[in-house]
Amino acid sequence: MSLNEIRDKMQKEISQSLTILDNVIKTTKLPIVNEQKTNNPLWIDVREIDLRYQVPVKKIIKFFEGLREGKVLATKCPKCGSVYFPPQDDCPKCKISNLDWIEMPKEGEIVAYTIINVKPPSFSHYQDYVVGIARMSNGVNVLSWVRAKEVKVGMKVRLEVVERKPEGYLTYELVPMG
Amino acid sequence: MRNVAIIGTGHTKFGVRTDVNLQELAWEAVKQALEEANLEQNEIQYFVVGNVGNWSSEELPAVIVGEYCNLTPKGTMRVEAACSTGSAAIRDAYLAIKSGEVDIALVVGVEQMHQAPNPQVVELIGRAGGYFWEFENFGLTFPGYYALHASAYMAKYGMKEEDLGKIAIKNHYYGARNPYAQFQKEITMEEYLKSKPVAYPLKLLDSSPITDGAAAIVLASEEVARKITDSPVWIVSQGVASGTANLSRRTDFTHIEAAQIAAQQAYKKAGIEFDNAWKNFDVADVHDCFTIAEIMAYEDLGFAKRGEGYLLAREEQTYIGGKIPVNVDGGLKAKGHPIGATGVSMAVSIARQLLYRAHKGTQVEVRNGMGITHNVGGTGHYAYVTIYSTRRPSK
Ligand SMILES: [Zn+2]
């Protein structure tokens, strides 16, 4: 399913419940429905929040440019040597900014993982997915999807830039080696 | 600095509470706590409301609750520390009294998660990790965060699924005896093993439910407590710590570092040694939002050596009569986990245990007069460890 098809499906469900609510208001003059199990009356909100946040990424835009070149970048403090992943452009230890950008190593090992069966609605259009944390060869951890059906702690993985389907944006994944 | 005691407790039935709204639910607990303390609202000098919200409609719950409970115009604030919100609310009132700022304060933790549909609640809790890097792109759910710990722990120490099941079975056993619990039903190992996968290796029966509920306590300074009651429960000490929001920034996935730091702090202030700390306590309430969390809690509190927490569960040492009874109110697993109320509910459970007021079949034998709560917010984003005693603290 494409993202729009998924949205259409979700919007259809919302429209159906709104139609029910409209009918309730029409017949009773109040947006109150009785809960099925207990018969407790519930006021159904007639106002709605449809919200997507806008997250500033100016300070780490190099990370996203890196993805376009097939690279997963981290930042490194030139003063204390701290490596930050997820990347950040401020070293709070040294209180300096404009850190160096380095490429994350490609090789790592799974230290923890899970398979998400019960998904949030905004992830409901994906098959059950594996989320893993890998310790990369520089000792820095990466959390992402693992592109494998069978995963084990200790499994060797490679960090790759991938296109997330169906949305089509660039992100990164851990892929089993060999 | 002054000693601080609990002089009144209140607790609602936990579960799906579509019969009341948020402020009505809070009032049930507040009314009980005021009656126990034999106080009127105008004698409460300050009140704190623990509420995480998002799933419920009121944006400023402290004021809404205060107005409904007739506590206005006393000073207030809303406190958030994820799943340890209740303990954070206690901390605020505790410090206000300890410092001498006020003599009597009320803490109410309240959460009504069922105001939003369940899928949206799953979405909102999932966002409670490191949102941008771990939810937006990789859709971790709340069980998912703890499942990462479970898989790492199993791989490192050889714990089996059945060991996690033992936790769920124990907590349901006690939940069945607690009339306030959301699930008042025992479960078997067979039911546990067959329950629906949520986030491997965790199943539905590893997970605490989505819950509505409220709990309240009245705290007072030593001088005031002495006048009001002959059975105060003292707050001996509290430890508090934080951890990273991004799980990937942690070095270890087999324990909750913030919880261990909080425990060490609380023990140090109370003069308790970390090793064999369990010997000091008659009862403990620990954060079992998922079964693996209870196993890690045993170790982070020094009840078991590192990597041996699951053996306590396997040997059933945390039932009443065992080494240290844990979550004999049903825990979050069976009692329910109304996020903002959970920490206050733990305090109510421990206070009532120490005063021999626990429900039939859940009362421990009180030898030391001392109990402990371990309340983790997020997956170790926050941690609060609090020690309670019927004996007046010396310092
Ligand atoms: Zn630095």
Side-chain angles (χ1 to χ4, degrees), chain A residues 35 38 40-42 45 53 55 57 60 63-64 84-88 111-123 129 131-133 135 141-145 153 164 169 171-172, chain B residues 16-19 57 119-120 122-123 127 131-141 143-145 147-149 151-152 155 196-202 246-253:
Chain A
E35 198 221 1
T38 57
N40 287 326
L42 298 172
D45 211 336
Y53 295 101
V55 183
V57 291
I60 52 163
F63 173 81
F64 301 99
Y84 293 100
F85 190 87
Q88 58 186 54
V111 293
Y113 73 99
T114 181
I115 306 160
I116 305 296
N117 311 109
V118 175
K119 286 161 271 182
S122 64
F123 282 81
Y129 43 88
V131 182
I133 297 174
R135 185 149 302 153
N141 294 333
V142 171
L143 180 146
S144 78
W145 281 8
V153 170
R164 172 66 58 79
Y169 70 96
T171 184
Y172 47 96
Chain B
V16 181
R17 294 295 308 270
T18 51
D19 56 326
S57 60
Q120 271 70 26
V122 173
E123 180 97 21
R127 287 173 175 246
Y131 158 72
F132 186 73
W133 295 97
E134 301 189 347
F135 179 85
E136 168 80 12
N137 283 308
F138 305 116
L140 264 177
T141 57
Y145 293 111
L148 290 167
H149 288 84
S151 70
K196 198 176 125 201
V198 170
Y200 175 86
L202 301 180
N246 285 292
L247 271 194
S248 59
R249 290 259 171 90
R250 304 206 187 149
T251 50
D252 185 273
F253 300 96

